[in-house]
Amino acid sequence: MTTVEWGLAYKGLPRHTDIIRTMRAPETVVGVMAAARRSGKTGIARTLLFLSALEGHDGWYLAPTYSHCRDLFWRPFITECPAELIVGKPNNSEMSLTLRGGGTIACKSTQNPDNLTGRGLSFIACDEYQSMPPRLYEEQLAPILAAVPRANKPQGKLLLTGTPRGKDNHLYTRYMRAGKDPGHFSWHLTAAQAGMVPAEQVERIRMEAVAAGTTATKIWEREWLASFDAFAGQVYSEWNPETMVVDDDDIPARFDEVVGGLDWGFSDTHPGALEILGYVAADDSWWVVDELVQIKQTVESYWRPQVDARMREWTRGINRDGVRRTDDEGALYCDPARPDSIQYFRNTSQGIYSIRSANNQVWDGIATVASKMHRGKLKVSRRCENLIREIPNYQWKETRDGHWEERPQKVRDDSIDGLRYGLHSHCAYPKISLG
C-alpha cells in the first residue's frame, strides 16, 4: 500500500473522498459533519491529519475524553501507520508523533479546555463535537487557528464531526453556519450513505428498533440517520396506565427473579426512592410490585433496614399460595452517584441479596424501559403511586427559546430512576436501539 493509499483510507467511498477533498481545498476554513454511527467520521479526521502532517503542518485530534483519544484514534493510528513514515519514537503517554514530512499529530481531551493553549496549528479535528464544551470554538479553537503564521503556513482549518443531539446544541449551530460564512462547509452523512455497514444490517437494526417502540425508533433515527430532530414532550410515550397498572390480585404469586432499583435522595424535591421488580421467565414479563419513597432519611438509620425488609419480603417472603415468592436471592442496583453509600450497604450486608452499582447509561436505560412498555412486558402495581404519578410527567427538557434538549428534565424523577436502575441493569435486552 502506498502512502497516498494509506492516507486516503476511504478510496472507493465517494462521500468520504468528497469530504476529504473539500477540506483540503485552499478556500475551506471550517467543515462540519453531522454523521451517523459507524459512518467513518473518525477515519476521515485521521486521513486529514495524516496528509497535513506529511506536508509539514502541525495538527491536533480532539475528543471528549482521554480514553476516546486513545482507543478510537491513537492506537489504531499507531498500529496501521507505516513505520517508515514516523520520525523517531511516538510518545505514547502524550499521544503525539512526528511524520516524515516534519509535521506533528497530537491527541488531546477537551475535558479541561483551558489547557488547550499553545502555538498556532494548521489543522484541528474535533471528534464528537456535540459532547464538548459549548464555547470551545469561540474561546479555544478559533484563537489557536488564527495564530498560524501566514507567511509560511496555510490558513488554519477546523473539522467538527459528531452525531446530532437535537437542535439546541453547538454542533447544530456550527452546522447551520455553512453557506452563511465564507469557507464554511457542512455534510450530513447517514450510515447507508457512508457505505461502511451493509445495508441489510442497518435495515435489521431499524426493524428491531421499530419493534421496540417509539422511543427506540427515535434513537435509531438519531444514531443511524444522523437526524437533528429533537425528542419532545413525554419521554415514555408508550405508557398506558389503563393496561399497565394492575391490582395486587393480578400480580404473579411467584417470580423467577427479584431486583430492586434505589435512587439516593434526601430533600423535599429529591426524595430517596426504591422500586422493586419481579421477573417471570415464562412470558418475559416484568412487574413493579412495591416502592418506598421518603424524604430526609439517612442511609444508616432508615434506608438500610427498610430496604432489607422490603427485599426480604419479595425474595424470602411467603406468597398468597403459602410458598416462597422466589428461590432467587435478588439483586439491588444502586445509583452510582453515591459509592460511599453503596459500600456501606455491602459492608453491612446480611447476605439477603447482592448489592451492585447500577448501570447509569440514561439513553440505553430509557430504551430498555420503553421497549418493555411497548411490548406489553412491563406492569406496575397500583400500590406504586409515586411511580405511576411520575411516568406521564417525565418530559424531555425544553429550553427558554422553545427548543428541546435530548435529555429528560431532572424534576420528580426519583421513582423513574429507580425503575430504570433496576430494570436496565438487570435486563438481558438493554441495547436494542444501538445495534
Side-chain angles (χ1 to χ4, degrees), residues 37-167:
R37 173 180 291 269
R38 294 173 66 183
S39 59
K41 57 184 183 292
T42 302
I44 290 174
R46 179 195 72 177
T47 296
L48 290 165
L49 282 164
F50 170 79
L51 295 175
S52 179
L54 282 181
E55 295 169 349
H57 308 312
D58 299 331
W60 281 355
Y61 172 83
L62 304 183
T65 65
Y66 176 89
S67 60
H68 185 126
C69 291
R70 180 193 62 213
D71 298 337
L72 298 185
F73 185 94
W74 181 252
R75 286 178 175 170
F77 191 99
I78 290 298
T79 301
E80 299 170 10
C81 183
E84 64 271 16
L85 299 181
I86 301 176
V87 177
K89 186 177 181 180
N91 188 325
N92 285 307
S93 61
E94 295 184 0
M95 291 187 288
S96 64
L97 56 73
T98 301
L99 291 186
R100 191 173 60 192
T104 63
I105 298 175
C107 298
K108 296 181 180 293
S109 162
T110 60
Q111 287 177 304
N112 296 304
D114 290 341
N115 293 336
L116 299 176
T117 58
R119 58 192 174 85
L121 301 170
S122 293
F123 192 88
I124 299 177
C126 294
D127 204 359
E128 303 300 348
Y129 180 65
Q130 79 285 348
S131 299
M132 295 180 180
R135 298 286 301 171
L136 183 71
Y137 175 84
E138 292 81 1
E139 296 178 359
Q140 276 82 29
L141 303 183
I144 291 172
L145 291 169
V148 174
R150 294 293 180 261
N152 58 359
K153 290 192 177 181
Q155 164 73 52
K157 295 177 182 291
L158 175 65
L159 175 66
L160 308 174
T161 74
T163 302
R165 290 294 182 269
K167 296 180 179 179

Side-chain angles (χ1 to χ4, degrees), residues 32 45 59 82-83 87 104 123 146 213 216-217 223 227 279 287 364 387 392 400 430:
V32 184
V87 177
T104 63
F123 192 88
T217 302
E223 297 291 326
S227 172
Y279 175 67
W287 302 73
D364 286 350
L387 179 62
R400 292 181 179 179

Side-chain angles (χ1 to χ4, degrees), residues 277 286 368-369 372 378 419-427:
L277 302 89
W286 287 87
T368 297
V369 175
K372 296 301 181 185
L378 180 65
L419 168 64
R420 175 168 57 83
Y421 292 147
L423 182 57
H424 178 59
S425 300
H426 201 71
C427 186

Side-chain angles (χ1 to χ4, degrees), residues 118-420:
R119 58 192 174 85
L121 301 170
S122 293
F123 192 88
I124 299 177
C126 294
D127 204 359
E128 303 300 348
Y129 180 65
Q130 79 285 348
S131 299
M132 295 180 180
R135 298 286 301 171
L136 183 71
Y137 175 84
E138 292 81 1
E139 296 178 359
Q140 276 82 29
L141 303 183
I144 291 172
L145 291 169
V148 174
R150 294 293 180 261
N152 58 359
K153 290 192 177 181
Q155 164 73 52
K157 295 177 182 291
L158 175 65
L159 175 66
L160 308 174
T161 74
T163 302
R165 290 294 182 269
K167 296 180 179 179
D168 189 52
N169 183 276
H170 42 288
L171 175 65
Y172 181 76
T173 300
R174 302 310 312 179
Y175 179 84
M176 295 302 293
R177 300 298 302 180
K180 299 178 181 179
D181 293 345
H184 285 57
F185 295 85
S186 67
W187 302 271
H188 182 265
L189 194 61
T190 69
Q193 290 171 338
M196 299 185 67
V197 180
E200 58 271 18
Q201 182 179 347
V202 176
E203 177 61 15
R204 175 184 60 79
I205 296 170
R206 185 189 73 82
M207 293 300 295
E208 291 178 350
V210 170
T214 304
T215 301
T217 302
K218 289 180 179 178
I219 295 176
W220 179 87
E221 291 173 351
R222 187 197 68 185
E223 297 291 326
W224 294 92
L225 299 182
S227 172
F228 276 110
D229 290 336
F231 290 21
Q234 185 176 337
V235 173
Y236 292 120
S237 57
E238 297 84 356
W239 172 249
N240 182 355
E242 293 185 2
T243 59
M244 297 181 185
V245 176
V246 298
D247 295 322
D248 283 353
D249 290 343
D250 298 320
I251 295 175
R254 185 170 171 80
F255 294 109
D256 295 289
E257 299 177 56
V258 170
V259 302
L262 179 60
D263 183 46
W264 310 110
F266 188 82
S267 68
D268 293 336
T269 57
H270 179 39
L274 168 71
E275 301 295 322
I276 296 180
L277 302 89
Y279 175 67
V280 178
D283 60 357
D284 189 35
S285 62
W286 287 87
W287 302 73
V288 187
V289 294
D290 203 358
E291 74 174 9
L292 182 63
V293 181
Q294 285 291 335
I295 63 172
K296 299 181 180 179
Q297 298 291 344
T298 67
V299 171
E300 297 82 2
S301 65
Y302 181 83
W303 284 106
R304 183 57 214 255
Q306 289 294 326
V307 169
D308 278 353
R310 297 295 177 100
M311 291 295 291
R312 184 188 295 271
E313 176 185 352
W314 287 101
T315 54
R316 297 184 175 183
I318 304 300
N319 66 28
R320 60 176 177 266
D321 297 325
V323 298
R324 280 182 60 171
R325 294 182 184 274
T326 178
D327 292 326
D328 178 63
E329 291 300 308
L332 176 70
Y333 295 92
C334 305
D335 178 359
R338 293 274 299 275
D340 54 333
S341 296
I342 296 175
Q343 191 59 49
Y344 175 78
F345 263 64
R346 289 171 175 162
N347 292 342
T348 57
S349 172
Q350 299 178 21
I352 301 173
Y353 49 87
S354 60
I355 300 161
R356 304 167 187 170
S357 179
N359 182 326
N360 196 24
Q361 294 179 325
V362 178
W363 276 100
D364 286 350
I366 288 175
T368 297
V369 175
S371 173
K372 296 301 181 185
M373 288 181 179
H374 177 74
R375 295 166 54 216
K377 300 300 183 180
L378 180 65
K379 306 293 183 181
V380 180
S381 168
R382 203 173 300 277
R383 71 166 69 183
C384 300
E385 297 178 357
N386 200 64
L387 179 62
I388 294 170
R389 184 167 51 249
E390 285 186 356
I391 291 176
N393 295 309
Y394 193 44
Q395 305 282 314
W396 297 107
K397 185 175 178 62
E398 185 177 11
T399 62
R400 292 181 179 179
D401 57 2
H403 287 139
W404 296 88
E405 295 185 15
E406 292 204 351
R407 58 174 176 169
Q409 296 181 15
K410 291 299 294 178
V411 178
R412 302 296 182 187
D413 61 351
D414 311 285
S415 290
I416 283 181
D417 282 352
L419 168 64
R420 175 168 57 83

